[in-house]
mmCIF file of all heavy atoms in Angstrom:
data_model
loop_
_atom_site.group_PDB
_atom_site.id
_atom_site.type_symbol
_atom_site.label_atom_id
_atom_site.label_comp_id
_atom_site.label_asym_id
_atom_site.label_seq_id
_atom_site.Cartn_x
_atom_site.Cartn_y
_atom_site.Cartn_z
ATOM 1 N N LEU H 18 -62.029 68.468 22.804
ATOM 2 C CA LEU H 18 -61.220 67.458 23.461
ATOM 3 C C LEU H 18 -60.555 68.078 24.688
ATOM 4 O O LEU H 18 -59.915 69.126 24.584
ATOM 5 C CB LEU H 18 -60.149 66.943 22.504
ATOM 6 C CG LEU H 18 -59.284 65.832 23.055
ATOM 7 C CD1 LEU H 18 -59.973 64.491 22.821
ATOM 8 C CD2 LEU H 18 -57.932 65.829 22.397
ATOM 9 N N ASP H 74 -37.334 44.622 10.248
ATOM 10 C CA ASP H 74 -36.183 44.861 9.377
ATOM 11 C C ASP H 74 -36.558 45.711 8.164
ATOM 12 O O ASP H 74 -35.804 45.800 7.201
ATOM 13 C CB ASP H 74 -35.555 43.535 8.937
ATOM 14 C CG ASP H 74 -36.510 42.668 8.121
ATOM 15 O OD1 ASP H 74 -37.712 43.004 8.016
ATOM 16 O OD2 ASP H 74 -36.059 41.643 7.584
ATOM 17 N N SER H 76 -37.558 49.186 5.920
ATOM 18 C CA SER H 76 -36.828 50.437 5.700
ATOM 19 C C SER H 76 -37.235 51.471 6.747
ATOM 20 O O SER H 76 -38.350 51.442 7.270
ATOM 21 C CB SER H 76 -37.090 50.973 4.291
ATOM 22 O OG SER H 76 -38.464 51.293 4.148
ATOM 23 N N ASP H 140 -48.901 44.438 28.649
ATOM 24 C CA ASP H 140 -50.248 44.441 28.076
ATOM 25 C C ASP H 140 -51.212 45.215 28.967
ATOM 26 O O ASP H 140 -52.094 45.921 28.474
ATOM 27 C CB ASP H 140 -50.748 43.009 27.888
ATOM 28 C CG ASP H 140 -49.998 42.257 26.802
ATOM 29 O OD1 ASP H 140 -49.341 42.893 25.939
ATOM 30 O OD2 ASP H 140 -50.058 41.004 26.820
ATOM 31 N N ASN H 148 -57.840 52.320 27.278
ATOM 32 C CA ASN H 148 -59.104 52.681 27.941
ATOM 33 C C ASN H 148 -59.189 54.194 28.145
ATOM 34 O O ASN H 148 -60.263 54.779 27.992
ATOM 35 C CB ASN H 148 -59.226 51.963 29.276
ATOM 36 C CG ASN H 148 -59.436 50.472 29.117
ATOM 37 O OD1 ASN H 148 -59.774 49.980 28.033
ATOM 38 N ND2 ASN H 148 -59.200 49.733 30.185
ATOM 39 N N ARG H 161 -54.295 50.666 16.781
ATOM 40 C CA ARG H 161 -53.335 49.633 16.373
ATOM 41 C C ARG H 161 -52.159 49.662 17.344
ATOM 42 O O ARG H 161 -51.564 50.703 17.575
ATOM 43 C CB ARG H 161 -52.825 49.921 14.969
ATOM 44 C CG ARG H 161 -51.703 48.993 14.523
ATOM 45 C CD ARG H 161 -51.139 49.395 13.154
ATOM 46 N NE ARG H 161 -50.021 48.540 12.798
ATOM 47 C CZ ARG H 161 -48.749 48.858 12.999
ATOM 48 N NH1 ARG H 161 -48.412 50.006 13.545
ATOM 49 N NH2 ARG H 161 -47.781 48.029 12.648
#
Side-chain angles (χ1 to χ4, degrees):
L18 183 86
D74 62 352
S76 63
D140 291 341
N148 290 345
R161 173 185 177 264

